[in-house]
Amino acid sequence: MKEEILKKARRVFDIEIGELLRLRDCIDDNLARAVEIILSCEGKVITTGVGKSGHIAQKIASTLSSTGTPAHFLHPSEALHGDLGVIDHKDVLLAVSNSGESPEVVSLIPYVKLLKVPIIAITNREDSTLARYADVHLFLNVKKEACPLELAPTSSSTASLVLGDAIAMVLLELRGFTKEDFALRHPAGSLGRKLRVVRELYHTGEEVPVVYEDTPMPDVIIEMTSKGFGATAVIDKGGKLVGIITDGDLRRFVRRGGNFNTSTAKDVMTKNPKTVKSDELAAEALKKMEEHKITVLIVIDDEGRPEGIIHMHDILRAGVL
């Protein structure tokens, strides 16, 4: 029984993978045109569809929105009862319909055309109504559904989803979308925690331990112990970071026979310390700490001046893992 179940499941995988490969091999200039239209769009991408295609259209809108392309899903039935007002003449309509004949979706065409809104259609029929009226038609080229009855949308819905992902990811790259941009759109949950930036977690102002190069070591030690980070930034007279002193530096200085009473910060500090910028991901700061076996990083501004300090515990407490 188990082998029979696994055999049937693998059949579904094999069919859908085969149809995706067929789709990959048939994409052409129409895909490039669709991306160019969306890239030049001054408004947003309105996606639409009903049934399984509607669910796919919702996911495409969500993926676009989270990766730098403003998008909104519009249910075609609701559109015909007032929600059509969400479409602006600066927008693009991306309609998903396996048959290309869904009455609810086809009914939108005259109104969208009046607004002179470009229509990008994703269908599995080249001669469908939606395909004919679209400015760009993206043909799925699916020959076989994974459903043994050839009824439930399976290969076709998967192909539509992957095609939407392809459009979104190409747009992401062309826009130069970054991890930091992604973080701004995902502030909640475990993903949001992983994408938090240093400025959300670091210590600033009076909390930051800072001494000058010529600060006597007894004063350096007081600064380090009073701020509680086990380290202090060392700056020159111009305020730029030139070094760091940690508990480890103190121990090494003692082992070398150094005398705190006759030394200054410059004699003990580690030059050119590892640093981080406030707009960097906290996860990257943690990775840097782990790679260099350190527990703190000085946060510097564009001029190389200390603006904060972040401890490994700050990142771990925030759940950035």
Side-chain angles (χ1 to χ4, degrees), residues 11 144-152 154:
R11 171 188 169 276
K144 185 177 180 61
E145 298 286 4
C147 171
L149 302 176
E150 281 287 324
L151 295 174
T154 45

Side-chain angles (χ1 to χ4, degrees), residues 156-204:
S156 57
S157 57
T158 298
S160 299
L161 179 63
V162 173
L163 189 55
D165 284 343
I167 292 171
M169 295 306 101
V170 171
L171 286 165
L172 177 152
E173 291 193 57
L174 292 177
R175 294 186 193 281
F177 195 79
T178 66
K179 289 182 179 179
E180 289 73 22
D181 295 324
F182 199 78
L184 291 174
R185 290 163 174 78
H186 298 78
S190 60
L191 180 59
R193 290 194 296 273
K194 290 178 182 179
L195 295 172
R196 296 186 72 174
V197 293
V198 170
R199 74 163 63 90
E200 298 178 62
L201 305 174
Y202 73 163
H203 303 265
T204 60

